[in-house]
Amino acid sequence: IHHMEAHLLAPMLTDDPPDYPFVALLVSGGHSLLVDVAAAGTYSLLGESLDDAVGEAFDKTAKLLDLGYPGGPAVEKMASTGDPDRFALPRPLKGEARPDFSFSGLKTALRKTATDLGALTDRDVADLCAGFQKAVTETLEDRVTRSLARYRAEITDISPTLVVAGGVAANKAIRAMLERVCAEHGFAFLAPPMELCSDNAAMIAWAGLERFRRGESDPLDIAPRPRWPLDGDSAPRIGSGRKGAKA
């Protein structure tokens, strides 16, 4: 089972699953991917992280600020009490036509800002978390908006849906932003319940069932694949090239 395919298909376990095709934003500790989902097993990457994934950036921020692991919930909690505009943090790739993501520059800028402050107060930590979360949210907004506009221009015969999945999909600020962006661009929006966003057995079982339905199976001595292209069996309809994704 491809781990990211399982995240991608997790919304099919909801009471109102999306119709194919749809666009999926997969945001987790190891990945930031935008995927054109034509059908179960038929995927085309629209964009991916060039360096740190968004969840990785959350985790490293939490570690830097001694907030523990996993970092996403801890940073979100602190951000709720902070001033998101106190510190000037970058929005990587914002405004660029390329559909990919980058968060290493944001992570580095946060570290430098925290280092320059010296001994951090609780207010400093809250404001750093709020500024970081706002920067991530606005970066994702720019990246996703560009891809949705391009997708909408090329696929005009359906009512499109954006699905968000992966651990970072549990972030309330990011969910609210995506819901607003979808409304502005004529997309339906679907986010699975919180328990299906993080790694869970149900999503793995569903992905296995989907493959079984297609007549696929593997022997018990199958070797793990540390890198497995999510779109390895499909011809891209939108975007260019085939890109690898960690399995």
Side-chain angles (χ1 to χ4, degrees), residues 73-149:
V75 171
E76 182 178 13
K77 181 178 180 180
M78 290 298 296
S80 67
T81 64
D83 177 2
D85 299 316
R86 177 181 169 189
F87 302 109
L89 297 173
R91 276 60 169 163
L93 299 183
K94 184 175 181 179
E96 293 194 16
R98 63 196 304 181
D100 297 312
F101 305 89
S102 172
F103 293 99
S104 65
L106 172 58
K107 176 195 65 181
T108 301
L110 182 85
R111 178 185 293 112
K112 183 179 186 305
T113 301
T115 301
D116 291 344
L117 289 172
L120 299 177
T121 66
D122 290 344
R123 173 53 52 195
D124 292 333
V125 173
D127 292 348
L128 285 166
C129 287
F132 171 81
Q133 181 172 269
K134 182 176 182 180
V136 167
T137 302
E138 291 184 354
T139 298
L140 286 174
E141 179 177 359
D142 178 77
R143 305 286 81 211
V144 170
T145 296
R146 288 178 178 275
S147 287
L148 293 190

Side-chain angles (χ1 to χ4, degrees), residues 24-224:
L25 173 65
L26 302 180
V27 278
S28 70
H31 298 83
S32 301
L33 302 172
L34 266 170
V35 186
D36 175 11
V37 183
T42 306
Y43 316 118
S44 175
L45 291 185
L46 306 179
E48 66 177 345
S49 178
L50 302 177
D51 39 59
D52 289 355
V54 61
E56 182 181 2
F58 268 100
D59 288 338
K60 290 180 177 178
T61 294
K63 182 178 180 180
L64 173 69
L65 301 176
D66 292 324
L67 296 178
Y69 182 88
V75 171
E76 182 178 13
K77 181 178 180 180
M78 290 298 296
S80 67
T81 64
D83 177 2
D85 299 316
R86 177 181 169 189
F87 302 109
L89 297 173
R91 276 60 169 163
L93 299 183
K94 184 175 181 179
E96 293 194 16
R98 63 196 304 181
D100 297 312
F101 305 89
S102 172
F103 293 99
S104 65
L106 172 58
K107 176 195 65 181
T108 301
L110 182 85
R111 178 185 293 112
K112 183 179 186 305
T113 301
T115 301
D116 291 344
L117 289 172
L120 299 177
T121 66
D122 290 344
R123 173 53 52 195
D124 292 333
V125 173
D127 292 348
L128 285 166
C129 287
F132 171 81
Q133 181 172 269
K134 182 176 182 180
V136 167
T137 302
E138 291 184 354
T139 298
L140 286 174
E141 179 177 359
D142 178 77
R143 305 286 81 211
V144 170
T145 296
R146 288 178 178 275
S147 287
L148 293 190
R150 182 178 178 186
Y151 184 92
R152 198 75 173 95
E154 296 188 25
I155 307 296
T156 59
D157 58 342
I158 61 170
S159 298
T161 297
L162 173 69
V163 167
V164 61
V168 181
N171 184 284
K172 294 182 179 63
I174 291 175
R175 282 194 182 215
M177 174 275 293
L178 292 173
E179 190 169 9
R180 173 176 53 78
V181 166
C182 284
E184 291 172 353
H185 289 81
F187 276 70
F189 175 69
L190 176 62
M194 299 298 186
E195 61 268 21
L196 292 178
C197 290
S198 58
D199 292 349
N200 62 88
M203 71 177 192
I204 298 296
W206 185 265
L209 177 61
E210 289 281 12
R211 288 184 173 271
F212 185 75
R213 285 172 171 169
R214 299 198 299 269
E216 300 176 14
S217 63
D218 294 299
L220 293 179
D221 61 350
I222 183 175

